[in-house]
Amino acid sequence: MTEREKEARKRTEGGVPPHDGMSAGPRKRFVKKRRPVPADELAGEIRSGSRLALAKGITLLESRSPEDRKAAQELLLGLLPDSGNSVRIGITGVPGAGKSTFIESFGLMLAEAGHKVAVLAIDPSSTVTGGSILGDKTRMEELARHPNAFIRPSPSSGTLGGVHRKTRETMLLCEAAGYDIILIETVGVGQSETAVRGMADFFLLLVLTGAGDELQGVKKGIMELADGIIVHKADGDNIIPAKRTAREYKQFLHMLQPATPGWQTTVHPVSSLAGNGLEDVWETILGFRENMSGTGEWDRRRRDQLKAWFRQSIEDWLIDSFYASEGRKKEVERLEGKILDGRLTVTAAVEELFRG
C-alpha cells in the first residue's frame, strides 16, 4: 500500500471524507488595498484635463482620512499656480425658481461656444444618511454628457449657506483642469447666502413672477448681495408678467446699496426652455468682469475670497479639533441632559464645558 493510499484510508476511517481535489475549503476573503495615487501624478492628470482624475482629486479633498487630507493639501499646493483663471458665478434662488434648468441651458450655451464649464451643484443633505437628496447630475443629463462640461454634485452636509465645506478647494482643482467658467448652485432655502458671495466673482439671483407680490417673496438681504437678477420662466403666457416684474425689481434696486461698488445690479427676464435672455446674462457677466478689472475691484474681491476661505477654515478646524478630543462628545451629552432637565442654562453649560 502506497503512502497516498494509507493516508486516504486513515482519513476515511477517521470519519473524514477524502478530498476529491475539486471542492474548496473555507474561502479566505482578501481585501484589496486602495493604492494611493501620488499627488504629483494625479496633479499631472488633472492638468491634462482628465475628468476621471478631477473626480478622484475632489473625492480626495472631501475625505476625512488624515492620510487623504495630507495628500489633498499636497495636490492643492501643486495645482495652485494653475488655478484662478476662471469666472466664478454663484447661483441662488427660491425653491422652484428653476436653478438647475437655468444652469443646464446656460452651461450648454457656453460649452457649445467652446468654454469649459464646471458645475458644483450643492444639494440639500439627507438628515439620515448625509447624502445628496436631489442628485443634480441626473437633473442635468444633457449638460453632463457634454465633453466641455463637468458636474460635481455634493451634499451640503448641513453647512450654512448650502455650500459644501470643500467647495472652494474644488473650484481650484476645476480651474487647474482648464475649466474657465465655474457655476456654483446653492440649496437656496433661505440660509445665509454670504458663504456663496464669499467665493463667487458674480452673484446671480433667480426669482419668479406670477406668484403675487414678488418683491415680498425675496429677502432684501439676498437682493443686496446680487450682482444680477434673473426673472425666470419668462415664456408663454408669462412673458409680459415677467417683463413687468423685471421693471419692478429695477425700481426697487435703486433704493438699495449696490452689491458691488461701481456696479448697478442688472435684471433680465429669461426663459431657459426657449433660450431667450441667456446671451444677455453672459454679456452682462463679461461686462462686469471688464468693468471691475478696470477699477481693481475684481482683484480685491479675489483677495476677499481668500481671506473668507482662511477664516472659515479656522472655524472648521476649531470645531473638528474640539470634538476630536477624547470624551468630549460624552461631556457635551451630559451637559445637554442638564440643560433639558432645567438644571443648567445654555450659557453656564458652555462655560463649564470650556473650563473643563
Side-chain angles (χ1 to χ4, degrees):
M1 183 179 293
T2 65
E3 290 297 325
R4 181 176 294 181
E5 289 173 338
K6 289 180 181 179
E7 180 66 22
R9 183 174 181 179
K10 182 179 179 181
R11 287 173 60 83
T12 304
E13 290 175 351
V16 181
H19 198 287
D20 59 6
M22 298 295 292
S23 58
R27 183 175 296 177
K28 294 182 179 180
R29 184 177 180 182
F30 293 96
V31 179
K32 187 177 180 180
K33 291 186 178 180
R34 179 170 61 91
R35 183 182 71 86
V37 179
D40 56 346
E41 181 181 326
L42 186 58
E45 293 176 2
I46 290 174
R47 286 192 200 95
S48 69
S50 168
R51 289 197 286 187
L52 178 59
L54 179 56
K56 287 181 179 179
I58 296 172
T59 300
L60 190 66
L61 290 177
E62 295 177 349
S63 173
R64 291 182 174 271
S65 162
E67 290 183 4
D68 286 346
R69 283 186 175 184
K70 182 179 179 181
Q73 294 310 306
E74 291 177 3
L75 177 65
L76 270 175
L77 192 61
L79 291 175
L80 209 54
D82 303 291
S83 64
N85 300 314
S86 75
V87 179
R88 303 167 182 173
I89 306 169
I91 301 172
T92 190
V94 296
K99 293 186 293 294
S100 294
T101 304
F102 168 76
I103 289 173
E104 178 163 50
S105 298
F106 189 58
L108 279 171
M109 180 193 74
L110 296 170
E112 289 293 331
H115 292 283
K116 292 191 68 176
V117 182
V119 179
L120 308 182
I122 315 299
D123 270 353
S125 292
S126 165
T127 55
V128 178
T129 65
S132 299
I133 294 174
L134 302 179
D136 280 275
K137 203 161 186 176
T138 60
R139 291 185 290 152
M140 303 180 194
E141 292 182 2
E142 193 174 352
L143 181 60
R145 291 194 298 266
H146 200 286
N148 282 352
F150 175 80
I151 299 177
R152 178 72 179 199
S154 299
S156 61
S157 306
T159 308
L160 187 63
V163 179
H164 193 276
R165 65 192 301 178
K166 294 297 182 180
T167 302
R168 290 179 174 89
E169 295 179 350
T170 299
M171 285 195 303
L172 298 182
L173 260 61
C174 290
E175 290 171 346
Y179 291 89
D180 59 320
I181 299 173
I182 313 291
L183 305 178
I184 312 161
E185 179 193 7
T186 69
V187 175
V189 290
Q191 292 173 300
S192 171
E193 304 297 334
T194 55
V196 189
R197 193 71 181 96
M199 67 177 66
D201 302 317
F202 190 91
F203 190 50
L204 198 56
L205 170 66
L206 268 66
V207 298
L208 291 171
T209 187
D213 188 351
E214 288 84 8
L215 293 179
Q216 294 299 320
V218 179
K219 286 185 177 181
K220 177 185 174 184
I222 297 178
M223 290 182 62
E224 289 178 327
L225 297 174
D227 296 305
I229 295 177
I230 287 177
V231 182
H232 203 210
K233 303 183 181 180
D235 41 47
D237 295 337
N238 204 37
I239 293 178
I240 295 176
K243 290 181 178 179
R244 183 176 61 247
T245 300
R247 288 194 298 270
E248 292 173 356
Y249 271 104
K250 287 179 181 178
Q251 293 173 359
F252 184 70
L253 286 167
H254 283 294
M255 297 184 288
L256 300 179
Q257 181 177 344
T260 302
W263 176 261
Q264 180 59 52
T265 301
T266 59
V267 185
H268 297 283
V270 172
S271 169
S272 294
L273 295 179
N276 298 330
L278 295 174
E279 290 185 2
D280 293 337
V281 174
W282 179 235
E283 288 298 323
T284 295
I285 295 173
L286 289 178
F288 175 86
R289 181 173 64 173
E290 183 179 357
N291 190 318
M292 296 301 103
S293 296
T295 62
E297 181 65 23
W298 187 270
D299 291 335
R300 187 192 66 80
R301 179 162 291 179
R302 283 293 174 96
R303 290 195 296 271
D304 288 345
Q305 289 174 19
L306 283 173
K307 288 193 292 185
W309 178 11
F310 176 55
R311 291 174 184 178
Q312 183 61 54
S313 297
I314 292 174
E315 293 181 16
D316 292 340
W317 186 88
L318 287 172
I319 292 172
D320 289 344
S321 60
F322 174 82
Y323 283 106
S325 300
E326 189 175 351
R328 189 60 57 81
K329 289 183 179 179
K330 289 184 178 180
E331 180 67 11
V332 169
E333 291 172 359
R334 182 184 70 80
L335 292 171
E336 282 176 344
K338 287 188 174 183
I339 293 170
L340 295 175
D341 292 342
R343 292 181 289 142
L344 201 63
T345 66
V346 171
T347 301
V350 171
E351 291 176 352
E352 182 178 333
L353 182 64
F354 283 97
R355 278 199 306 268

